[in-house]
Amino acid sequence: MRRILSVIVNDHLGVLNRITGLFLRRGFNIESITVGKTETEGLSRMTIVVNVEDERTNEQIIKQLHKQIDVIKVIDITNEPAVERELVMIKVLSPLQKRAELTNLIEPFRASIIDVTLESVTIQATGNPEKIEALIELLRPYGIKELARTGVTAFKRGGEREREVPRIKHDSLSLI
Amino acid sequence: MSVKLQAEETAAHGGQKMMSGAQMLVEALKKEGVEVIFGYPGGAVLTIYDALYDAGIRHILTRHEQGAIHAAEGYARVTGKTGVVIATSGPGVTNIVTGLTDAMMDSLPIVVIAGQVNTSVMGTDAFQEAPTVGITMPITKHNYQVKSVTDLPRIIKEAFHIASTGRPGPVLIDIPKDISNQEGLFDYPEQVSLRGYQPTIIPNRLQIQKIVAAVKQAKKPVILAGAGVLHAKAHRELRAFAERVHIPVVNTLLGLGSFPGDHPLFLGMGGMHGTYVANMALYEADLIINFGARFDDRLTGNPKHFAKYAKVAHVDIDPAEIGKVVKTDIPVVGDAKEALKMLLEEDLVPGETAEWWRHLERLKKEYPLWYNEDNQTLKPQRLIEMIHELTGGNAIVTTDVGQHQMWAAQYYPFKEPHRWVTSGGLGTMGFGFPAAIGAQIARRDQTVLAVVGDAGFQMTLQELSVLTDYDLPVKVIIVNNYALGMVRQWQQLFYRERYSESLLPNQPDYVKLAESYQIKGLKADTEQEARAAIKEALNTPGPVLVDCRVTPDENVYPMIPPGKGIHEMEGVKP
């Protein structure tokens, strides 16, 4: 099952290594991970998408994350209304006679062309991973020369602050 | 920095002194109350060693960095204080990797000061450079690389705090040589403020009350006590609780000594080579109250069969241990001592356990630990019993891993805490002897016995020099079976007696070896000889090595075969 964890960490050298190392050592598989600064100086947000077998593994991942001294909070946004975005850049073959067709094709995705040569164009799009997948599949027949995805970054939708997973849950989690 | 600027700086900080990173380190160690350091000098820590030269802190020079960190572990285990290690960059620090992992697995408070090459050459594969922070990241509770000398005091303060609080563990500080040389203002913080590290000490009262209710209902309760009880210094509370509710107690390997080994409520050690009654109690129980044990696989056997019928209450300071292996019904995060104190404040009503006790007493009587007695040869089990008898059970015993370790755990009932020093989680050969050195340094007043196997001893025996150098009266008892005993046992039982590379027919003359280090060496081939030799060793004021040549084909029984459940022990009866 796919889980999205938003993890606020100290913006220290080596923290990414610490977190990915933890996942490696404990045998948890990362689907994607993105890191960037937050609104607070000294803190970064990591958005980690994992595919876990069961709730127990997810619980263990969160607990192990909490054990890291550089982890300030962990927010599990999987079941929350969340804004989830990924950026993709696709360099696709595009002979001049097909270019109009291509432009029309990407329009509903609100994607844009950010670089043009005689043979190819580079398309940029943002959206949730499903939308990105759909765009890639649509462009594949034209011949994708290069592709780069950023991985998901996300946080909870709405005005209230994100509810972090408490370091200790007395009842629910450990019952699993 | 100009002289004038420096003077202004000093004035601005209330007269605090400018000093080098190395001097700061020494000052910080003094402020942390460090009384002994185990280490080995080298290029990247020369400035630190220079600062130590007249610092008045005791330094123990081992012969290998692995010896230093195991000694620090032994020191930490018997004192509860943080063990401090210094190692130089590169090979110095890679040599302590085993000890760091060992301390991590067994939750021992250790602070390692690691030297590092100059910041200007870091990353260039410089002489004696190793990526220490990366290497040790997964085997430390936390680690640091000091990038600026002004950070050094805060980092040292944090390191000692992290190592010794919550679930203890090793912390490493990597200090580049130029940082040790650089001068800065020494401003040692009073407090530690770490947003991401707030261990929960006081348990939740409602959860404690759930344990009380479960005790009242339970017909087949059992207490499982692990090393967490020892770390929390909660042995008195544990005993008071067990006696109040009249519930039997099982210890984990590392928890031995947290409950008196001769107490009527004690069922022995659980797990792979535990007693039959302890394992059957865990298997049949309807309530297991776990204080500070992490349900290691050597304890649980195949987890499918573990605590099959039990409601599980788990008290642990580390929330990640709760529910990690065994499904937990009553999770209690907090310090074992605090939890037990809260339990003792409650109105504890024991359940109806008379029948359970009748059953356990029968198992205890019918299936005791056993071995075939033999007057001709020296039985390893008998050897341990003899050591127990001759020391009055008051010695500190350290071991490596393997058969001798299991026999020591089985046949030396520990009555008190902090007398048992063994490598549990990592199972480190070569641990026992240097750990005994650390234990003896911590407790000069106590008899310290390094009960080691012949194979494990040969991994760190160079530390015999340390006994001579520092006049340490450690008694080394080699349980010599001319083999990697446990490997041999498994090959016999599970690999059709194909003893692939596990037999050690050619061994050094340990008596001569000891003598070459100016240590008294004795040997014993029979029970009588062993008795005489151990008596002599105990009556000799200095260090003694006793080579006890035991029956070579003896196995550790009973045992849970690999993959089997806790109720499927073999070798329960002769």
Side-chain angles (χ1 to χ4, degrees), chain B residues 219-230:
Chain B
K219 292 191 166 57
K220 298 175 175 181
V222 59
I223 291 169
L224 176 66
V229 175
L230 296 169

Side-chain angles (χ1 to χ4, degrees), chain B residues 391-457:
Chain B
T391 57
N394 289 319
I396 292 172
V397 177
T398 74
T399 76
D400 284 346
V401 67
Q403 287 188 317
H404 70 282
Q405 177 193 35
M406 290 300 122
W407 286 318
Q410 289 176 333
Y411 292 96
Y412 192 109
F414 290 89
K415 289 191 292 262
E416 285 177 63
H418 312 299
R419 300 279 171 91
W420 171 234
V421 182
T422 197
S423 169
L426 196 64
T428 306
M429 286 175 77
F431 170 86
F433 176 46
I437 290 173
Q440 187 77 77
I441 283 161
R443 299 300 306 267
R444 239 352 251 257
D445 56 324
Q446 300 235 344
T447 305
V448 176
L449 299 170
V451 176
V452 291
D454 49 290
F457 182 56

